[in-house]
Amino acid sequence: MTHRRHARSRSRRLVRPGHWHVHARVERFVEPSLLLLLRERPLHGYELLERIPELGVEGRVDIGNLYRLLRALEEEGLVQSEWSADLPGPAKRTYELTAEGRRLLDRWAEALNRAQGTITGFLERYEEGR
Amino acid sequence: MTHRRHARSRSRRLVRPGHWHVHARVERFVEPSLLLLLRERPLHGYELLERIPELGVEGRVDIGNLYRLLRALEEEGLVQSEWSADLPGPAKRTYELTAEGRRLLDRWAEALNRAQGTITGFLERYEEGR
DNA sequence: ACCACTATAGGTAAAAAACATATGTCTAAA
DNA sequence: TTTAGACATATGTTTTTTACCTATAGTGGT
């Protein structure tokens, strides 16, 4: 692969002068998203990419990072995969959740609950002083 | 300043083999936190550091990054500061929110509302399939 | 004098996210 | 029938964000 250098924007996603996108996204939210989708049934990477928006993720998910994450999760025994020769179309690697992956999902759910409490607290304090 | 290289953990904050800290933190949450605290009254950096835990932020906030963020916010006209010679103790730079900063806080509140919806959706779907 | 605490600040590394490209299969339309 | 586009997986690289570490100085107590 060849790559060139490209001029890119300065920082903080300017829209108009003095205006930025404000996102408020949860760090590494794609990880629990993948685990949750895979708990429901085995899927391959591209399907996961298509279904993640169902979970309300703002902005598109980076496909490159998604595949990298899947392989990282597999290395750690959180998901398992195999090539599905049977399915039509290009070769697909189908992932399924392991017991350990399921436990990690449970931990994510707890963490997301705590995060929700934090956000609620913030918003309450915000509303108080409007 | 001199710096040495230090051996650091591989990745993903291992606690015990196969166990990670799962955080679910909101990206750049300190920014809205500072804006909210400053809306209530002017404060200096060290006070902000002490008060941020009130907002339910897990883990300690990096003091170096906090000061950098304050200066970045000032460059962008979101906060204003001046040295407070009057106050006792070491020199303190007291920050206050500008009108523009207050508008940014409003945008953060909207974004956090959306994030909460996303998390709620995730957790509902999680509970369904338990 | 020394120590701990308050206060601000800069340097750098690691982690996470964004951006870009490569490569191949299969399907449907021109 | 070749060609365009969707499907599918993957790697390379840059930018942004967070974490870690060090520097400097005033102040108050012992």
Side-chain angles (χ1 to χ4, degrees):
Chain A
M1 285 184 204
T2 56
H3 294 85
R4 56 187 146 69
R5 186 153 287 87
H6 19 257
R8 212 80 67 77
S9 60
R10 24 258 128 255
S11 78
R12 318 191 76 218
R13 299 119 321 149
L14 272 175
V15 180
R16 302 199 306 284
H19 291 75
W20 308 266
H21 285 298
V22 176
H23 275 305
R25 293 171 305 180
V26 173
E27 278 178 29
R28 295 170 47 246
F29 190 67
V30 291
E31 178 174 310
S33 300
L34 297 179
L35 298 175
L36 180 57
L37 290 170
L38 290 176
R39 188 185 62 174
E40 296 172 1
R41 69 180 186 80
L43 295 163
H44 55 265
Y46 199 83
E47 280 178 319
L48 285 162
L49 180 78
E50 285 177 322
R51 282 168 195 273
I52 275 188
E54 292 172 18
L55 300 177
V57 177
E58 305 184 33
R60 73 180 199 315
V61 171
D62 184 86
I63 180 69
N65 293 340
L66 185 142
Y67 283 114
R68 256 189 292 249
L69 177 54
L70 282 170
R71 273 173 283 124
L73 290 173
E74 183 158 30
E75 266 182 54
E76 292 161 357
L78 301 158
V79 301
Q80 271 185 332
S81 77
E82 55 177 20
W83 287 105
S84 307
D86 49 323
L87 301 172
K92 295 177 238 312
R93 184 178 278 281
T94 300
Y95 287 88
E96 60 178 316
L97 198 62
T98 66
E100 211 190 323
R102 178 154 181 149
R103 282 192 290 274
L104 182 61
L105 174 59
D106 294 339
R107 308 243 312 285
W108 264 105
E110 289 166 34
L112 286 165
N113 256 308
R114 286 193 298 272
Q116 220 180 21
T118 301
I119 297 174
T120 300
F122 182 99
L123 289 173
E124 279 171 5
R125 190 151 173 176
Y126 169 78
E127 292 297 337
E128 276 171 31
R130 290 200 76 186
Chain B
M1 284 183 205
T2 56
H3 293 83
R4 56 190 146 69
R5 186 153 286 89
H6 19 257
R8 211 79 68 76
S9 59
R10 23 260 123 255
S11 76
R12 318 188 78 220
R13 298 120 320 150
L14 272 175
V15 180
R16 301 200 306 283
H19 291 75
W20 308 266
H21 284 298
V22 176
H23 275 306
R25 294 171 304 181
V26 174
E27 281 177 27
R28 293 168 50 245
F29 190 67
V30 291
E31 178 175 309
S33 300
L34 297 179
L35 298 175
L36 180 57
L37 290 170
L38 290 176
R39 187 185 63 173
E40 295 172 1
R41 68 181 187 80
L43 295 164
H44 55 265
Y46 199 83
E47 279 179 318
L48 286 163
L49 181 77
E50 285 177 322
R51 282 167 195 273
I52 275 188
E54 294 172 18
L55 300 177
V57 177
E58 304 184 33
R60 73 182 199 312
V61 171
D62 185 86
I63 181 69
N65 293 339
L66 185 142
Y67 284 113
R68 257 189 291 251
L69 177 54
L70 281 171
R71 275 172 282 125
L73 291 173
E74 182 157 29
E75 267 182 53
E76 292 161 358
L78 301 159
V79 301
Q80 272 186 334
S81 77
E82 54 177 20
W83 287 105
S84 308
D86 48 324
L87 300 173
K92 297 177 235 314
R93 185 177 277 281
T94 299
Y95 288 89
E96 61 179 315
L97 199 63
T98 65
E100 211 191 323
R102 177 152 182 151
R103 282 192 291 275
L104 182 60
L105 174 59
D106 294 338
R107 308 245 311 286
W108 264 104
E110 288 166 34
L112 286 166
N113 256 307
R114 286 193 299 274
Q116 223 182 19
T118 300
I119 296 174
T120 300
F122 183 99
L123 290 173
E124 279 170 7
R125 190 153 173 176
Y126 169 79
E127 291 297 339
E128 275 170 33
R130 291 199 77 183

